[in-house]
Coordinates of all heavy atoms in Angstrom, one line a residue:
P119 N -19.6 8.5 5.8 CA -20.6 8.7 6.8 C -20.1 8.3 8.2 O -19.2 7.3 8.2 CB -21.8 7.8 6.3 CG -21.6 7.6 4.9 CD -20.1 7.6 4.7
R120 N -20.5 8.9 9.2 CA -20.0 8.6 10.6 C -20.1 7.1 10.9 O -19.1 6.5 11.4 CB -20.8 9.4 11.6 CG -20.2 9.2 13.0 CD -21.0 10.1 14.0 NE -20.9 11.5 13.6 CZ -19.9 12.3 14.1 NH1 -19.1 11.8 15.0 NH2 -19.9 13.6 13.8
E121 N -21.2 6.5 10.6 CA -21.4 5.1 11.0 C -20.5 4.2 10.2 O -20.0 3.2 10.7 CB -22.9 4.6 10.8 CG -23.9 5.3 11.8 CD -23.4 5.0 13.2 OE1 -23.1 3.9 13.6 OE2 -23.5 6.0 14.1
E122 N -20.2 4.5 9.0 CA -19.3 3.7 8.2 C -17.9 3.8 8.7 O -17.2 2.8 8.8 CB -19.4 4.0 6.7 CG -18.4 3.2 5.9 CD -18.5 3.4 4.4 OE1 -19.1 4.4 4.0 OE2 -17.8 2.7 3.6
A123 N -17.5 5.0 9.0 CA -16.2 5.2 9.6 C -16.0 4.4 10.9 O -15.0 3.8 11.2 CB -15.9 6.7 9.9
L124 N -17.0 4.5 11.7 CA -17.0 3.7 13.0 C -16.9 2.2 12.7 O -16.1 1.5 13.4 CB -18.3 4.0 13.8 CG -18.3 5.3 14.6 CD1 -19.7 5.6 15.1 CD2 -17.3 5.3 15.7
A125 N -17.6 1.7 11.8 CA -17.6 0.3 11.5 C -16.1 -0.1 11.0 O -15.6 -1.2 11.3 CB -18.6 -0.1 10.4
L126 N -15.5 0.7 10.2 CA -14.2 0.5 9.7 C -13.2 0.5 10.8 O -12.2 -0.3 10.8 CB -13.8 1.5 8.6 CG -14.6 1.3 7.3 CD1 -14.4 2.5 6.4 CD2 -14.3 0.1 6.5
L127 N -13.3 1.4 11.7 CA -12.3 1.5 12.8 C -12.5 0.3 13.7 O -11.5 -0.2 14.3 CB -12.6 2.8 13.6 CG -12.1 4.1 12.8 CD1 -12.6 5.4 13.5 CD2 -10.6 4.1 12.6
E128 N -13.7 -0.1 13.9 CA -14.0 -1.3 14.8 C -13.4 -2.5 14.1 O -12.8 -3.4 14.8 CB -15.5 -1.5 15.0 CG -16.0 -0.4 16.0 CD -17.5 -0.3 16.0 OE1 -18.2 -0.9 15.1 OE2 -18.1 0.4 16.8
E129 N -13.5 -2.6 12.8 CA -12.8 -3.7 12.0 C -11.3 -3.7 12.2 O -10.7 -4.7 12.3 CB -13.2 -3.6 10.5 CG -12.5 -4.6 9.7 CD -12.9 -6.1 10.0 OE1 -14.0 -6.3 10.6 OE2 -12.2 -7.0 9.5
R130 N -10.8 -2.5 12.2 CA -9.3 -2.3 12.5 C -8.9 -2.9 13.8 O -8.0 -3.7 13.9 CB -8.9 -0.8 12.4 CG -7.5 -0.6 12.8 CD -7.2 0.9 12.8 NE -5.8 1.2 13.2 CZ -4.8 1.0 12.4 NH1 -5.0 0.7 11.1 NH2 -3.6 1.2 12.8
V131 N -9.7 -2.7 14.9 CA -9.4 -3.2 16.2 C -9.5 -4.7 16.2 O -8.7 -5.4 16.7 CB -10.4 -2.6 17.2 CG1 -10.2 -3.4 18.6 CG2 -10.2 -1.2 17.4
R132 N -10.6 -5.3 15.5 CA -10.7 -6.7 15.4 C -9.5 -7.4 14.7 O -9.0 -8.4 15.2 CB -12.0 -7.1 14.6 CG -13.3 -6.9 15.4 CD -14.4 -7.6 14.8 NE -14.8 -6.9 13.6 CZ -15.7 -5.9 13.5 NH1 -16.2 -5.4 14.6 NH2 -16.0 -5.3 12.3
K133 N -9.0 -6.7 13.6 CA -7.8 -7.3 12.9 C -6.6 -7.3 13.8 O -5.8 -8.2 13.8 CB -7.6 -6.5 11.7 CG -8.6 -6.8 10.6 CD -8.2 -6.0 9.3 CE -9.1 -6.3 8.1 NZ -8.7 -5.6 6.9
I134 N -6.4 -6.2 14.6 CA -5.3 -6.1 15.5 C -5.4 -7.2 16.5 O -4.4 -7.9 16.9 CB -5.2 -4.7 16.2 CG1 -4.9 -3.6 15.1 CG2 -4.2 -4.7 17.3 CD1 -5.0 -2.2 15.7
E135 N -6.6 -7.4 17.1 CA -6.8 -8.4 18.2 C -6.5 -9.8 17.6 O -5.9 -10.7 18.3 CB -8.2 -8.3 18.7 CG -8.4 -7.0 19.6 CD -9.8 -6.8 20.0 OE1 -10.7 -7.4 19.4 OE2 -10.0 -6.1 21.0
Q136 N -7.0 -10.1 16.4 CA -6.7 -11.4 15.8 C -5.3 -11.6 15.6 O -4.8 -12.7 15.8 CB -7.5 -11.5 14.4 CG -9.0 -11.6 14.6 CD -9.8 -11.4 13.3 OE1 -9.2 -11.2 12.3 NE2 -11.1 -11.5 13.4
W137 N -4.6 -10.6 15.1 CA -3.1 -10.7 14.9 C -2.4 -11.0 16.2 O -1.5 -11.8 16.2 CB -2.6 -9.5 14.2 CG -1.1 -9.5 14.0 CD1 -0.5 -10.0 12.9 CD2 -0.1 -9.1 14.9 NE1 0.9 -9.9 13.0 CE2 1.1 -9.4 14.3 CE3 -0.1 -8.5 16.1 CZ2 2.3 -9.0 14.9 CZ3 1.1 -8.2 16.7 CH2 2.3 -8.4 16.1
R138 N -2.7 -10.2 17.2 CA -2.1 -10.4 18.5 C -2.3 -11.8 19.0 O -1.4 -12.4 19.6 CB -2.6 -9.4 19.5 CG -1.9 -9.3 20.8 CD -2.6 -8.4 21.8 NE -1.7 -8.1 22.9 CZ -1.5 -9.0 24.0 NH1 -2.1 -10.2 24.0 NH2 -0.7 -8.6 25.0
A139 N -3.5 -12.3 18.9 CA -3.8 -13.7 19.3 C -3.0 -14.7 18.6 O -2.5 -15.7 19.3 CB -5.3 -14.0 19.1
S140 N -2.7 -14.5 17.3 CA -1.9 -15.5 16.6 C -0.5 -15.4 17.1 O 0.2 -16.5 17.1 CB -2.0 -15.2 15.1 OG -1.3 -14.0 14.7
V141 N 0.0 -14.3 17.4 CA 1.4 -14.1 17.9 C 1.6 -14.8 19.3 O 2.6 -15.5 19.6 CB 1.9 -12.7 17.9 CG1 3.2 -12.5 18.6 CG2 1.9 -12.1 16.5
T142 N 0.6 -14.5 20.2 CA 0.7 -15.0 21.5 C 0.4 -16.4 21.7 O 0.4 -17.0 22.8 CB -0.2 -14.1 22.5 OG1 -1.5 -14.1 22.0 CG2 0.3 -12.7 22.6
E143 N 0.2 -17.1 20.6 CA 0.1 -18.6 20.6 C 1.4 -19.2 20.9 O 1.5 -20.3 21.5 CB -0.5 -19.1 19.3 CG -2.0 -18.9 19.1 CD -2.5 -19.5 17.8 OE1 -1.6 -20.1 17.0 OE2 -3.7 -19.3 17.5
Y144 N 2.5 -18.5 20.5 CA 3.8 -19.0 20.8 C 4.7 -18.1 21.5 O 5.8 -18.4 21.9 CB 4.5 -19.4 19.4 CG 4.6 -18.3 18.4 CD1 5.7 -17.4 18.4 CD2 3.6 -18.1 17.5 CE1 5.8 -16.4 17.5 CE2 3.7 -17.1 16.5 CZ 4.8 -16.2 16.5 OH 4.9 -15.2 15.6
Y145 N 4.3 -16.8 21.7 CA 5.1 -15.9 22.5 C 4.3 -15.4 23.6 O 3.2 -14.8 23.4 CB 5.5 -14.7 21.6 CG 6.2 -13.5 22.4 CD1 7.4 -13.7 22.9 CD2 5.5 -12.4 22.6 CE1 8.0 -12.7 23.6 CE2 6.0 -11.4 23.4 CZ 7.3 -11.5 23.9 OH 7.9 -10.5 24.6
M146 N 4.7 -15.6 24.9 CA 3.9 -15.2 26.1 C 4.5 -13.9 26.6 O 5.6 -13.9 27.2 CB 4.0 -16.3 27.1 CG 3.6 -17.7 26.6 SD 1.8 -17.6 26.1 CE 1.0 -17.2 27.6
P147 N 3.8 -12.8 26.4 CA 4.3 -11.5 26.9 C 4.6 -11.5 28.3 O 5.6 -10.8 28.8 CB 3.1 -10.5 26.5 CG 2.3 -11.2 25.4 CD 2.5 -12.7 25.7
A148 N 3.8 -12.2 29.1 CA 4.1 -12.2 30.6 C 5.4 -12.7 31.0 O 6.0 -12.4 32.0 CB 3.0 -13.0 31.3
E149 N 6.0 -13.6 30.1 CA 7.3 -14.2 30.4 C 8.5 -13.3 30.0 O 9.6 -13.6 30.2 CB 7.4 -15.5 29.7 CG 6.4 -16.6 30.3 CD 6.5 -17.9 29.6 OE1 7.5 -18.1 28.9 OE2 5.6 -18.7 29.8
G150 N 8.1 -12.2 29.3 CA 9.2 -11.2 28.9 C 9.9 -11.6 27.6 O 9.9 -12.8 27.2
P151 N 10.6 -10.7 27.0 CA 11.3 -11.0 25.7 C 12.5 -11.9 25.9 O 12.9 -12.6 24.9 CB 11.7 -9.6 25.3 CG 11.8 -8.8 26.5 CD 10.8 -9.3 27.4
G152 N 13.0 -12.0 27.1 CA 14.2 -12.9 27.2 C 14.1 -14.3 27.0 O 15.0 -15.0 26.8
Q153 N 12.8 -14.8 26.9 CA 12.6 -16.2 26.6 C 13.1 -16.7 25.3 O 13.3 -17.8 25.0 CB 11.1 -16.5 26.7 CG 10.2 -15.7 25.8 CD 8.7 -15.8 26.1 OE1 8.1 -16.8 25.9 NE2 8.2 -14.7 26.5
Y154 N 13.3 -15.7 24.4 CA 13.8 -16.0 23.1 C 15.2 -15.3 22.8 O 15.5 -15.0 21.7 CB 12.8 -15.6 22.0 CG 11.6 -16.5 21.9 CD1 10.4 -16.0 22.4 CD2 11.7 -17.8 21.4 CE1 9.3 -16.8 22.4 CE2 10.6 -18.6 21.4 CZ 9.4 -18.1 21.9 OH 8.3 -18.9 21.9
G155 N 15.9 -14.9 23.9 CA 17.1 -14.2 23.7 C 16.7 -12.8 23.3 O 15.6 -12.3 23.4
H156 N 17.7 -12.1 22.7 CA 17.4 -10.7 22.2 C 16.4 -10.6 21.1 O 15.8 -9.6 20.9 CB 18.7 -10.0 21.9 CG 19.3 -10.4 20.6 ND1 20.0 -11.6 20.4 CD2 19.3 -9.9 19.3 CE1 20.4 -11.8 19.2 NE2 20.0 -10.7 18.5
I157 N 16.3 -11.8 20.4 CA 15.3 -11.8 19.3 C 13.9 -11.6 19.8 O 13.0 -11.1 19.1 CB 15.4 -13.2 18.5 CG1 16.8 -13.3 17.9 CG2 14.4 -13.2 17.4 CD1 17.3 -12.2 17.0
G158 N 13.7 -12.0 21.1 CA 12.4 -11.8 21.7 C 11.9 -10.3 21.7 O 10.7 -10.0 21.8
E159 N 12.9 -9.4 21.6 CA 12.6 -8.0 21.6 C 11.8 -7.6 20.4 O 11.0 -6.7 20.4 CB 13.8 -7.1 21.7 CG 14.6 -7.2 23.0 CD 13.8 -6.6 24.2 OE1 12.7 -6.0 24.0 OE2 14.2 -6.8 25.3
I160 N 12.0 -8.4 19.3 CA 11.2 -8.1 18.1 C 9.7 -8.4 18.3 O 8.8 -7.6 18.1 CB 11.7 -9.0 16.9 CG1 13.2 -8.6 16.6 CG2 10.8 -8.8 15.7 CD1 13.8 -9.5 15.6
M161 N 9.4 -9.6 18.9 CA 8.0 -10.0 19.2 C 7.5 -9.1 20.3 O 6.3 -8.7 20.3 CB 8.0 -11.4 19.6 CG 8.2 -12.3 18.4 SD 8.3 -14.1 18.8 CE 10.0 -14.2 19.3
N162 N 8.3 -8.7 21.2 CA 7.8 -7.8 22.3 C 7.4 -6.5 21.7 O 6.4 -5.9 22.1 CB 9.0 -7.6 23.3 CG 8.5 -7.0 24.6 OD1 7.5 -7.4 25.2 ND2 9.2 -6.0 25.1
Y163 N 8.2 -6.0 20.7 CA 7.8 -4.7 20.1 C 6.5 -4.9 19.3 O 5.7 -4.0 19.3 CB 9.0 -4.3 19.1 CG 8.6 -3.2 18.2 CD1 8.5 -1.9 18.7 CD2 8.3 -3.4 16.9 CE1 8.1 -0.8 17.9 CE2 7.9 -2.4 16.0 CZ 7.9 -1.1 16.5 OH 7.5 0.0 15.7
W164 N 6.4 -6.0 18.6 CA 5.1 -6.2 17.8 C 3.9 -6.2 18.7 O 2.9 -5.6 18.4 CB 5.2 -7.6 17.1 CG 6.1 -7.6 16.0 CD1 6.7 -6.6 15.3 CD2 6.6 -8.8 15.4 NE1 7.6 -7.0 14.3 CE2 7.5 -8.4 14.3 CE3 6.5 -10.2 15.5 CZ2 8.2 -9.3 13.5 CZ3 7.1 -11.1 14.7 CH2 8.0 -10.6 13.7
V165 N 4.0 -6.9 19.8 CA 2.9 -7.0 20.7 C 2.6 -5.6 21.4 O 1.4 -5.2 21.4 CB 3.1 -8.1 21.8 CG1 2.0 -8.0 22.9 CG2 3.2 -9.4 21.2
H166 N 3.6 -4.9 21.8 CA 3.3 -3.6 22.4 C 2.7 -2.7 21.3 O 1.8 -1.8 21.6 CB 4.6 -3.0 22.9 CG 5.0 -3.4 24.3 ND1 4.5 -2.8 25.4 CD2 5.7 -4.5 24.8 CE1 4.9 -3.4 26.5 NE2 5.6 -4.4 26.1
S167 N 3.2 -2.7 20.1 CA 2.6 -1.9 19.0 C 1.2 -2.2 18.8 O 0.4 -1.3 18.6 CB 3.5 -2.1 17.7 OG 4.8 -1.7 17.9
A168 N 0.9 -3.5 18.8 CA -0.5 -3.9 18.6 C -1.4 -3.4 19.7 O -2.5 -2.9 19.5 CB -0.6 -5.5 18.5
D169 N -0.9 -3.5 21.0 CA -1.7 -3.1 22.1 C -1.9 -1.6 22.0 O -3.1 -1.1 22.3 CB -1.0 -3.4 23.4 CG -1.0 -4.9 23.7 OD1 -1.8 -5.6 23.0 OD2 -0.2 -5.4 24.5

Side-chain angles (χ1 to χ4, degrees):
R120 184 179 298 271
E121 290 305 314
E122 182 178 6
L124 283 168
L126 291 168
L127 291 169
E128 287 164 353
E129 176 64 17
R130 176 182 176 80
V131 173
R132 283 193 292 272
K133 286 183 175 181
I134 293 174
E135 290 174 340
Q136 289 170 359
W137 178 88
R138 189 188 192 280
S140 70
V141 171
T142 54
E143 285 180 2
Y144 57 87
Y145 172 74
M146 303 301 295
E149 296 179 13
Q153 59 193 291
Y154 291 106
H156 73 280
I157 301 302
E159 292 293 350
I160 297 173
M161 288 173 279
N162 195 46
Y163 170 74
W164 287 346
V165 171
H166 275 272
S167 297
D169 290 344

